[in-house]
Amino acid sequence: MAVPSRESFPTPSLAEKIIDTSNPYVPPAWVTEGWAEEAIPFVEGIYKTFNEEHGTNMKFR
């Protein structure tokens, strides 16, 4: 049986990595919009329960 060496490094890439700067990735708008209005009371409840159980005062942002 063979055991892989966990201290070895991966082999280098055989192809050169080329970055296309003419077409940058733009994340979709929903990524920066934040939480849905319906989810906010649910998440605030999680924070409230956690704060009561652990004696903390963490706030949902």
Side-chain angles (χ1 to χ4, degrees):
M1 244 207 249
V3 178
S5 173
R6 295 172 195 244
E7 295 178 12
S8 65
F9 293 95
T11 56
S13 177
L14 298 176
E16 181 182 351
K17 293 183 172 70
I18 300 171
I19 300 173
D20 181 12
T21 58
S22 64
N23 187 14
Y25 173 75
V26 178
W30 61 266
V31 171
T32 57
E33 287 177 357
W35 291 84
E37 290 294 323
E38 307 86 42
I40 293 175
F42 175 73
V43 176
E44 287 175 342
I46 293 173
Y47 273 75
K48 181 181 176 197
T49 303
F50 180 88
N51 287 333
E52 290 171 355
E53 289 178 5
H54 300 280
T56 58
N57 190 22
M58 299 184 79
K59 304 283 184 198
F60 173 65
R61 297 179 190 182

